[in-house]
Amino acid sequence: MSTLTVAAIQYDISWRDKSANFSTLEHMISAVFNEHQHIDLLLLPETFSTGFCTTDPAVSVTDDGGEDLFWLKQMASQYGCVVAGSVFVRQADKKANRFYWVWPDGAVEYYDKRHLFRLGNEGDYVVQGNDRKVFDIKGIRIFPQVCYDLRFPVWQRNQQDYELLVNVANWPAARRHVWDTLLKARAMENQAFVIGVNRVGADGLGVAHSGGTVVLDYVGEPVATAVDDKAGVVVAELDFSELERYKESFPAYLDADDFVLN
């Protein structure tokens, strides 16, 4: 099994200001590629272009991803890697919190957030996704999740169909302990690498975010970690042959319970 080089960007998302966020990200991405010649997967936080402004009618959404998807395609083409992150996309009379997965050739896949944040009334404005997706890079199977999904282990249970779980988020500082703990739990229980990508700074509603962007191995140990409360990029090369050997030596997955997802 091959290796995968991943980069995860942690930054302070400008509230409802797509131009400012695109500009910030372009500078950060350029700096990453000046230092690293090759990256396979570049990850951005949840709602990276606007912040988590579910109720705000001033936030423009389109049926086809609009300028957000156009920008993602530009970045993927320019840097020759998959670029992924979530944005709001119109869906009937609501919108979807859509995790776009964009290839350098312009091909697009996506996952719509399954679990909607009840405390923030996300379900009043956002439609629930129902399709479990797994993407593939170089034979490495990657399971995309968005923020609140992290709390629901049944939905994330590894059915031996992925080696890497990715969660992109706007996870508040007040519940940072939960973020750190559940990311480790998901890695250990699923015997998979896990990447959590979070933002920093206060959003337009005054909600503080401390970061916690991290790459974990399959036993929950950190491979690379961002500095708290500071914008930055985490880069890691993951060797999936190590995961394969670990699962051969400790095949706990063979004793997992059968279940059916609705």
Side-chain angles (χ1 to χ4, degrees), residues 15-92:
W15 191 248
R16 300 182 348 188
D17 192 338
K18 293 186 179 185
S19 295
N21 290 316
F22 293 157
S23 178
T24 296
L25 287 169
E26 285 166 16
H27 283 95
M28 295 181 76
I29 294 169
S30 175
V32 172
F33 277 88
N34 283 338
E35 186 174 349
H36 301 272
Q37 290 188 340
H38 175 75
I39 289 170
D40 297 297
L41 173 61
L42 179 67
L43 295 164
L44 312 175
E46 178 187 27
T47 57
F48 68 86
S49 65
T50 60
F52 192 67
C53 45
T54 56
T55 65
D56 197 326
V59 174
S60 62
V61 293
T62 63
D63 298 320
D64 59 359
E67 60 187 321
D68 299 318
L69 183 54
F70 179 77
W71 182 85
L72 287 169
K73 287 182 177 181
Q74 282 187 312
M75 294 298 102
S77 174
Q78 181 175 345
Y79 292 102
C81 66
V82 173
V83 181
S86 97
V87 299
F88 291 125
V89 177
R90 184 180 295 117
Q91 196 84 341

Side-chain angles (χ1 to χ4, degrees), residues 109 132-136 140-144 161-163:
E109 299 179 82
R132 190 176 186 277
K133 300 288 184 72
V134 176
F135 305 139
D136 183 292
I140 308 298
R141 298 169 300 175
I142 303 164
F143 184 50
D161 57 354
Y162 69 82
E163 288 79 40

Side-chain angles (χ1 to χ4, degrees), residues 70-134:
F70 179 77
W71 182 85
L72 287 169
K73 287 182 177 181
Q74 282 187 312
M75 294 298 102
S77 174
Q78 181 175 345
Y79 292 102
C81 66
V82 173
V83 181
S86 97
V87 299
F88 291 125
V89 177
R90 184 180 295 117
Q91 196 84 341
D93 59 342
K94 294 186 178 181
K95 48 196 170 189
N97 190 338
R98 181 159 293 175
F99 185 120
Y100 274 123
W101 187 269
V102 181
W103 294 87
D105 65 0
V108 176
E109 299 179 82
Y110 67 84
Y111 160 75
D112 287 345
K113 186 178 182 180
R114 163 78 167 185
H115 299 92
L116 305 179
F117 188 49
R118 184 177 299 272
L119 187 62
N121 299 315
E122 187 176 11
D124 292 343
Y125 306 93
V126 177
V127 296
Q128 181 185 53
N130 291 308
D131 295 329
R132 190 176 186 277
K133 300 288 184 72
V134 176

Side-chain angles (χ1 to χ4, degrees), residues 150 156 165 167 176-196 212 214-223 225:
L150 186 62
Q156 294 170 96
L165 184 155
N167 186 294
R176 172 65 185 277
H177 174 67
V178 178
W179 168 258
D180 293 339
T181 302
L182 292 185
L183 286 172
K184 291 179 181 179
R186 298 295 90 88
M188 289 185 278
E189 70 194 7
N190 292 301
Q191 296 188 298
F193 286 99
V194 168
I195 302 175
V214 65
V215 180
L216 300 171
D217 70 10
Y218 36 84
V219 294
E221 292 293 336
V223 176
T225 306

Side-chain angles (χ1 to χ4, degrees), residues 222-239:
V223 176
T225 306
V227 177
D228 283 357
D229 297 304
K230 184 178 180 180
V233 185
V234 169
V235 179
E237 184 177 46
L238 305 181
D239 185 349

